[in-house]
Amino acid sequence: MPENIRSQTAAVIPAYQDEKHIAGIARRTRERLNHVLVVDDGSTDQTGQRAREAGAEVIVHDQNLGKGEAIKTGLAHWLAAANPSGTGQDRQITWVILLDSDGQHLPEEIDRFLLAAASVRRPTFFIGNRMDDVARMPFVRRVVNRYMSNQISRACAQKIPDTQCGYRMLHRQLIPELLGGGHRFDYETEALLIVSRKGYRIESVPITTVYTDQVSKIHPMRDAFRFFQLMQRYRNAGA
């Protein structure tokens, strides 16, 4: 793998009330990437402190704004860092990896994304695919995931086997397109629709299915309603 891909890649880890897991995730990510940012989305526990102790940069939201806003804060941070500064200290950030703070995404699999990025010749959006490893995925989640992935793939006009996966990697050229959109979990779906509408390819990277003891922060009824609202809006706009 070309080392310049690794040195030009930064991570964004959105986190909320994750003091139990964040130190391990941040430390293991730092073992693979030099640039790791944790966005503490208004936690009232020790999430931010644990992340700093593990060697990550930390940005703290004064209040909980939602996962989408935390991701956008992180993307904007690395977009700014990618531009030459007045001091001449240009960190040359070309790619950004997004992974969750609760242990569902293994930092050890970052190299899978780096290898995928090394093989492309144009700005691309990569997303993890757990659907080849569904034995450990709860049955209801498996069914819902397949349904939503089929719906979103149709709206995006390209096959995306696991649209619900938050383990992602994108070229910095895509970042300005992704600083709008939803505020909470609907943002991750809208990001796929946005980059597809802009003509970018979405490529899948096989990853391991992991379920931890962390309680899901998704609210099934509320977030399902947001999903259907989002899909209807894009259909009405000409999907």
Side-chain angles (χ1 to χ4, degrees):
M1 179 196 312
E3 275 305 307
N4 65 321
I5 292 278
R6 188 184 303 277
S7 65
Q8 294 175 9
T9 299
V12 172
I13 308 175
Y16 177 63
Q17 304 292 78
D18 269 331
E19 65 179 2
K20 182 176 180 180
H21 300 92
I22 190 60
I25 297 300
R27 175 183 50 76
R28 288 155 59 199
T29 303
R30 280 281 289 121
E31 290 171 356
R32 286 150 185 87
L33 299 173
N34 292 330
H35 310 300
V36 178
L37 173 69
V38 171
V39 181
D40 179 354
D41 189 30
S43 301
T44 58
D45 62 5
Q46 299 298 309
T47 293
Q49 180 179 335
R50 298 285 186 269
R52 287 191 190 91
E53 291 169 352
E57 292 185 58
V58 178
I59 294 176
V60 178
H61 287 169
D62 291 337
Q63 59 184 340
N64 179 247
L65 302 176
K67 187 179 184 182
E69 289 301 313
I71 291 172
K72 285 184 274 187
T73 292
L75 291 178
H77 175 83
W78 290 124
L79 180 63
N83 294 321
S85 67
T87 63
Q89 294 178 334
D90 181 2
R91 287 194 269 190
Q92 295 288 339
I93 302 305
T94 304
W95 296 92
V96 177
I97 283 184
L98 308 174
L99 67 158
D100 288 350
S101 60
D102 61 3
Q104 287 197 46
H105 303 148
L106 302 177
E108 291 76 15
E109 295 185 337
I110 285 173
D111 279 2
R112 298 187 183 188
F113 288 87
L114 299 179
L115 284 168
S119 70
V120 298
R121 296 293 176 264
R122 58 180 178 173
T124 302
F125 189 107
F126 296 98
I127 183 170
N129 176 19
R130 301 162 294 177
M131 301 312 286
D132 293 330
D133 181 31
V134 296
R136 284 168 286 188
M137 184 178 291
F139 176 75
V140 172
R141 289 204 181 193
R142 191 186 318 170
V143 171
V144 170
N145 196 348
R146 289 194 191 281
Y147 170 78
M148 295 178 75
S149 295
N150 286 335
Q151 294 295 310
I152 296 165
S153 292
R154 289 174 59 189
C156 291
Q158 51 184 315
K159 181 64 175 176
I160 311 168
D162 189 3
T163 60
Q164 304 309 293
C165 184
Y167 207 167
R168 302 173 174 199
M169 182 176 184
L170 59 140
H171 192 277
R172 67 177 295 268
Q173 183 174 310
L174 282 67
I175 293 177
E177 309 289 355
L178 297 175
L179 297 181
H183 305 295
R184 297 190 178 274
F185 290 97
D186 52 331
Y187 172 81
E188 292 181 297
T189 294
E190 189 160 9
L192 302 176
L193 294 163
I194 290 170
V195 298
S196 295
R197 292 288 179 90
K198 296 295 182 178
Y200 293 104
R201 285 293 306 164
I202 298 174
E203 302 286 352
S204 294
V205 175
I207 63 168
T208 304
T209 300
V210 179
Y211 280 92
T212 68
D213 58 351
Q214 185 77 319
V215 176
S216 175
K217 300 180 183 73
I218 293 176
H219 297 270
M221 294 299 292
R222 184 190 69 190
D223 290 309
F225 180 68
R226 284 190 177 129
F227 169 76
F228 287 112
Q229 274 190 318
L230 172 67
M231 296 301 291
Q232 189 60 45
R233 189 167 78 247
Y234 272 81
R235 289 192 187 101
N236 292 340

